[in-house]
Amino acid sequence: MKELLSGNEAIARGAYECGVTVATGYPGTPSTEILENIAKYQGIYAEWSPNEKVALEVAAGASFGGARVLVAMKHVGINVAADPLFTLSYTGVKGGLVIITADDPELHSSQNEQDNRNYAKFAKIPMLEPSDSQEAKEFVKIAFEISEKYDTPVFVRTTTRISHSKSIVEIYEPQRSPVPLEIVKNPTKLVMLPANARKRHPIVEERLCRLKTFADKFSENKVEINNANLGIITSGVSYQYAKEVFPDYSYLKLGLTYPLPEKVIKEFAGKVKKLYVVEELDPYIEEQIKAMGINIVGKDIFPICGEFNPSIVEKVLSPSSKQGVKEDIPLKLPPRPPNMCPGCGYRGIFYIFNKLKLFVAGDIGCYTLGFLPPLSAIDTCVSMGGSIGHAMGLDKALGDAAVGKVIAVIGDSTFLHSGITSLLDIVYNRGSSTVVILDNQTTAMTGRQEHPGTGLTLKGETTKKVDLVELCKGLGVEHVRTVDPFDLQTVEETVKEEIFRKEPSVIISRAPCVLLKSQRTKPSKPFTVFDEKCNGCKACIKLGCPAIEWKNIKSVSKRDKLTSDNKKRKGIAVIDNMLCNGCGLCEQLCKFDAIGEINA
Ligand code: SF4
Ligand code: SF4
């Protein structure tokens, strides 16, 4: 049977077909749909772990017990999981352990553009790179076989285009894993004390030698000899781009990009006159081929930043060629700057931060949009859970000079991901920062996934719900307050009180994400501007709510140049009642009673 599947859906299907019984991960674009689809299959335990390190540690435990396990995360998630990852390379596995790293060339939804092929080489773990959805499914199966045969975790690396584009996939019935589920004590392999780890390192090196031999025989490293004048070595989606514009050139398409098949590469190089490597991001393949003593052209002519497409490959390799490739179609869409949703509970918080001119240590989540004008209220954003550490660092570096000026802001999911330990640091190391936890009861940024604070598992079962107030108190924070972010006066008073406190404090801003299903079913009462009262002061515009627009005098009628009490105005505010969800923030800012509910 055939189905049209995205790369992520195909990976999930691949896991199901080859007998995976445990799957873990943390949501992150472009990887999120892998676990969401795996969770739909009966017989697979699937969890959103609080972070990627935990996901890999749970996966390791399941593998040690003999289960086939799949772990999925985006590229930066591997940084979080890097600690257990490198040691798992030493312990090896029992049941196959496959790690999906979904990389994001072009930073469509990421804070950096790292090339995780480097992790494979660094951790000495094999890496497969599918070029379409069919391969995404097949490579998962192959990855499990390699994992169990060579006693190693195996990476499958996708990029955004593979993760999200759809192609035809052959579907099969699921098979049972060949590995027995059992507890077998093996401390010399699994306890990485220095004495044991020292003995494991040569085993890892010897495994790599065997994998190099395997790479040279691996059928998914495919050689296509066509025009012998020009040969291209490539992998992943870059193969599709190159093949589309230069179907007649010769190709070595690498399915396994670590370790590289040295013998095959040398043979291929001997069969073509000129050799190029087409690869996005780092000169990862290029450098290794050059180290083999082979002359190859790569990043001398190809960009090192951003995503490729057929047009880029064609223009770089053959600037004068027009082999039927479609020119980039100039898009004439109106610009659509990113913005928080109308009625978002974050907006009022950032409005107050801006008003108080605070230095705001920010974090990863849709609240990072608070950086944009007119709110302009995020001053740092580096890594998941980083904001609390930034505030602590500023506190320790500046001492009293930071009091009343610095605040950290973090989402509920991000706090549970990796903010907890930083808050503990503030408490333990006698910091005095104030942390605002934006509790919108979901992982909003990646599409509203569950987390330990939602009371639901990935499979939709009810579970123990973390109480953020009690958690913070348990960490030793004595001043924990909860605010309604739609009550601007209380928010401002609370923030002012807490930022001057010379002790750690936490403010939990509690309002569910407006996109949660539970919120969407609630009837909204849109607000309106009573235009005869509006004097055009623009106070409401400073909220940056996409539902509010300001019309200048040129676009209002002559009659509208005056308010109802004959005051001159340069324009008026207008609320689009199709967008407004009636949060009432703008009403609180209008000193002229010009905003209220429709039909109030
Ligand atoms: S609606 Fe109120 S706050 Fe907005 S511009 Fe008019 S008078 Fe100012
Ligand atoms: S009530 Fe005002 S701030 Fe809230 S969504 Fe409507 S227009 Fe935007």
Side-chain angles (χ1 to χ4, degrees), residues 1 42 122 126 129 176 258 267 288 295 300 309 333 342 353 374 398 430 434 479 502 505 531:
M1 198 172 80
Q42 295 290 328
F122 193 10
E129 278 194 78
R176 282 178 70 89
Y258 191 74
E267 279 170 14
Q288 292 182 73
N295 202 6
D300 295 344
N309 59 39
L333 295 172
F353 290 168
L398 304 178
R430 303 155 62 96
T434 298
H479 307 281
K502 290 194 173 178
S505 59
D531 60 6

Side-chain angles (χ1 to χ4, degrees), residues 383-593:
S383 56
M384 292 283 282
S387 59
I388 301 176
H390 301 169
M392 169 72 164
L394 282 158
D395 171 19
K396 290 296 178 186
L398 304 178
D400 282 351
V403 174
K405 296 188 183 125
V406 178
I407 200 158
V409 66
I410 188 167
D412 49 343
S413 186
T414 315
F415 177 69
L416 294 168
H417 175 280
S418 47
I420 298 170
T421 41
S422 306
L423 184 59
L424 185 61
D425 183 49
I426 290 177
V427 174
Y428 174 64
N429 284 312
R430 303 155 62 96
S432 61
S433 305
T434 298
V435 176
V436 177
I437 302 175
L438 299 168
D439 180 11
N440 67 356
Q441 290 148 43
T442 190
T443 313
M445 171 176 57
T446 44
R448 304 177 300 284
Q449 286 77 29
E450 309 298 344
H451 63 62
T454 64
L456 285 172
T457 68
L458 168 58
K459 292 256 188 185
E461 301 142 340
T462 51
T463 184
K464 182 84 181 166
K465 181 175 170 174
V466 165
D467 182 326
L468 289 177
V469 174
E470 291 305 316
L471 175 60
C472 295
K473 285 184 178 168
L475 293 171
V477 181
E478 286 176 19
H479 307 281
V480 183
R481 299 172 69 176
T482 302
V483 291
D484 171 1
F486 297 110
D487 177 353
L488 288 180
Q489 192 182 340
T490 307
V491 169
E492 183 170 349
E493 284 166 8
T494 309
V495 168
K496 274 185 186 162
E497 282 166 25
E498 295 305 328
I499 54 173
F500 284 98
R501 195 187 288 284
K502 290 194 173 178
E503 284 178 82
S505 59
V506 169
I507 301 169
I508 298 174
S509 158
R510 190 161 281 160
C513 171
V514 286
L515 297 181
L516 282 176
K517 261 191 198 152
S518 56
Q519 299 305 303
R520 276 183 277 157
T521 52
K522 287 185 184 166
S524 68
K525 294 181 194 159
F527 276 54
T528 191
V529 175
F530 308 123
D531 60 6
E532 70 285 358
K533 288 189 185 173
C534 172
N535 78 350
C537 72
K538 289 190 178 173
C540 57
I541 303 293
K542 288 181 189 148
L543 275 173
C545 173
I548 313 177
E549 201 187 335
W550 195 76
K551 286 198 173 170
N552 68 26
I553 202 70
K554 285 178 193 147
S555 55
V556 296
S557 69
K558 204 173 167 191
R559 179 188 66 81
D560 289 336
K561 284 180 183 166
L562 298 177
T563 62
S564 55
D565 48 3
N566 282 330
K567 289 197 180 122
K568 277 193 182 171
R569 55 187 177 180
K570 290 185 177 168
I572 55 168
V574 179
I575 291 178
D576 179 342
N577 62 23
M578 293 297 284
L579 287 176
C580 172
N581 97 332
C583 74
L585 282 179
C586 53
E587 185 189 29
Q588 295 172 55
L589 295 184
C590 182
K591 292 183 181 143
F592 302 93
D593 292 330

Side-chain angles (χ1 to χ4, degrees), residues 60-371:
S63 163
F64 296 158
R68 281 190 162 179
V69 199
L70 186 129
V71 196
M73 57 193 72
K74 69 180 291 175
H75 62 309
V76 287
I78 300 288
N79 302 337
V80 181
D83 188 8
L85 173 74
F86 280 71
T87 308
L88 274 173
S89 175
Y90 277 41
T91 61
V93 302
K94 185 160 184 275
L97 198 165
V98 173
I99 306 162
I100 311 292
T101 167
D103 291 11
D104 188 17
E106 203 69 41
L107 302 106
H108 294 284
S109 182
S110 306
Q111 61 270 45
N112 74 33
E113 204 176 21
Q114 74 192 41
D115 187 334
N116 275 6
R117 293 177 301 172
N118 295 298
Y119 263 115
K121 189 163 175 282
F122 193 10
K124 305 184 186 214
I125 289 172
M127 173 173 275
L128 294 152
E129 278 194 78
S131 291
D132 57 25
S133 298
Q134 176 67 49
E135 283 191 355
K137 186 176 81 85
E138 285 310 305
F139 282 18
V140 165
K141 183 167 175 270
I142 294 166
F144 277 107
E145 288 164 3
I146 295 173
S147 178
E148 284 155 9
K149 181 169 179 195
Y150 291 90
D151 190 11
T152 176
V154 176
F155 274 123
V156 174
R157 176 185 184 252
T158 60
T159 52
T160 307
R161 297 289 152 189
I162 300 294
S163 304
H164 289 162
S165 35
K166 294 202 172 197
S167 56
I168 300 285
V169 177
E170 194 87 41
I171 299 298
Y172 300 107
E173 286 303 306
Q175 306 289 318
R176 282 178 70 89
S177 163
V179 186
L181 284 173
E182 58 189 346
I183 291 180
V184 180
K185 286 178 179 279
N186 194 352
T188 51
K189 183 171 184 282
L190 300 183
V191 182
M192 284 304 94
L193 290 168
N196 289 341
R198 233 172 264 131
K199 287 178 199 144
R200 293 293 302 176
H201 189 180
I203 293 171
V204 171
E205 299 302 332
E206 184 267 333
R207 179 181 77 202
L208 255 184
C209 291
R210 288 190 291 128
L211 280 163
K212 281 178 184 163
T213 307
F214 165 77
D216 274 319
K217 295 181 202 143
F218 183 45
S219 59
E220 296 300 326
N221 290 327
K222 289 182 177 155
V223 176
E224 301 169 25
I225 297 295
N226 300 308
N227 181 340
N229 285 325
L230 203 144
I232 292 174
I233 300 181
T234 186
S235 66
V237 76
S238 297
Y239 167 75
Q240 304 287 7
Y241 298 151
K243 189 76 182 167
E244 185 176 332
V245 282
F246 300 118
D248 301 328
Y249 288 163
S250 296
Y251 285 89
L252 168 54
K253 174 185 167 302
L254 298 167
L256 187 71
T257 46
Y258 191 74
L260 291 182
E262 190 166 343
K263 207 168 132 227
V264 173
I265 288 169
K266 285 181 174 163
E267 279 170 14
F268 182 72
K271 287 179 183 162
V272 293
K273 279 193 191 149
K274 184 92 185 166
L275 197 56
Y276 292 91
V277 61
V278 179
E279 58 182 333
E280 287 174 329
L281 301 180
D282 292 351
Y284 167 84
I285 296 172
E286 178 186 343
E287 282 176 358
Q288 292 182 73
I289 292 178
K290 281 181 173 166
M292 294 171 197
I294 297 168
N295 202 6
I296 193 162
V297 178
K299 295 296 168 185
D300 295 344
I301 56 170
F302 279 101
I304 201 163
C305 304
E307 207 178 16
F308 287 5
N309 59 39
S311 205
I312 289 174
V313 175
E314 185 192 36
K315 278 179 194 154
V316 173
L317 269 187
S318 178
S320 58
S321 168
K322 286 271 177 282
Q323 298 192 33
V325 72
K326 289 186 195 85
E327 284 296 317
D328 290 337
I329 301 161
L331 293 174
K332 288 188 185 135
L333 295 172
R336 231 177 122 232
N339 199 341
M340 286 181 274
C341 304
C344 173
Y346 299 156
R347 191 177 304 284
I349 296 284
F350 287 116
Y351 175 81
I352 297 298
F353 290 168
N354 180 308
K355 185 179 172 192
L356 298 177
K357 301 202 174 0
L358 296 178
F359 185 95
V360 182
D363 221 296
I364 311 270
C366 43
Y367 48 92
T368 317
L369 294 169
F371 159 79

